[in-house]
Amino acid sequence: MTYQQNREFVEAIRPHSPDDWLIVAGDVAEKFDDVEWALGVLRSRFAKVVWSPGNHELWTTKDDPAQARGEVRYKQLVELCRGIDVLTPEDEFAVFEGAGGPVAVAPLFTLYDYTFRPAGTTDKASALAVAQEAGVICTDEYFLHPDPYPSREAWCAARIEESERRLRAVDESLRTVLINHWPLVRDPTFVLRYPEFALWCGTERTADWHVRFRAAVMVYGHLHIPRTIRKDGVRFDEVSLGYPREWQPRGWTAAPLLDVLREGDAR
Ligand SMILES: [Fe+2]
């Protein structure tokens, strides 16, 4: 929401039907006020809004009055969402009963752990060295603090444990919609312009979640390459808008809304 044109897109979004739910797969903005504004506008339009945090919300930047870092910042974002009735990874998974349902709608927050490594590297240090050689580094290294965890990968491990616990508790007769800012499988990163950037894009530890947890569809953002792929019969939809310089060449005049759940998906 740092970009005026993206704000205008948010202001113009309308549901197709009054019963529509909206999935927001992270990277809404960097500043708390902007996150609250965008999610608040969207909540006023849709029957339900479901949010998973992206790396940008988790950055602690100099010009944001909210200066908390790491897990405290995440928890403050969750409280912000609760104040405007937006569902988060800390809330009970809601069941969508509309077209394509019933499905358990599961916002997740799993981060990354540097296991999407370049070929020939065996650990984080050697992988980062290859990325550095290629001139690739994610801004998270400067602004996404893992406090109180010793590292982002340690925070990731804790998030995986918590997310698995929640997913295991879902009624086994229900299919799921898995929502995570970072793709749960590595495949979407294979088309990155800078393949080394995959280091900051997910974890191998979630590679079978779409099968284990009965996903009808997995929704992610982060890569700024909106498209759909299939793996093991499951659809993976990237729903990012991106920066104006990215969507302008596509000729978009409004934020495209994707129907992620279609008739028959819950079967
Ligand atoms: Fe991102």
Side-chain angles (χ1 to χ4, degrees), residues 26-27 54-56 181-182 221-224:
D27 282 359
N55 48 316
H56 284 242
H181 183 62
W182 300 268
H222 193 55
L223 304 186
H224 296 213

Side-chain angles (χ1 to χ4, degrees), residues 83-95:
I84 53 175
D85 191 30
V86 166
L87 290 178
T88 77
E90 304 308 303
D91 299 305
E92 195 179 329
F93 296 151
V95 176

Side-chain angles (χ1 to χ4, degrees), residues 68-80:
R69 294 158 62 113
E71 189 173 53
V72 172
R73 185 175 181 89
Y74 169 59
K75 288 191 169 154
Q76 288 177 352
L77 286 160
V78 167
E79 286 312 307
L80 178 162

Side-chain angles (χ1 to χ4, degrees), residues 64-140:
D64 187 359
Q67 281 295 302
R69 294 158 62 113
E71 189 173 53
V72 172
R73 185 175 181 89
Y74 169 59
K75 288 191 169 154
Q76 288 177 352
L77 286 160
V78 167
E79 286 312 307
L80 178 162
C81 287
R82 286 179 173 160
I84 53 175
D85 191 30
V86 166
L87 290 178
T88 77
E90 304 308 303
D91 299 305
E92 195 179 329
F93 296 151
V95 176
F96 179 77
E97 306 269 8
V103 287
V105 178
L108 305 170
F109 166 38
T110 59
L111 217 52
Y112 51 85
D113 62 2
Y114 305 89
T115 49
F116 289 176
R117 287 190 289 265
T121 61
T122 52
D123 58 14
K124 178 184 173 184
S126 57
L128 281 177
V130 168
Q132 193 179 11
E133 186 76 15
V136 175
I137 186 160
C138 181
T139 313
D140 292 0

Side-chain angles (χ1 to χ4, degrees), residues 1 15 51 68 74 83 111 129 163 172 187 189 193 225 241 256 259:
M1 290 312 102
W51 167 83
Y74 169 59
L111 217 52
S163 307
E172 287 193 11
D187 306 50
T189 69
R193 184 183 304 183
I225 309 172
L241 169 62
D259 286 324

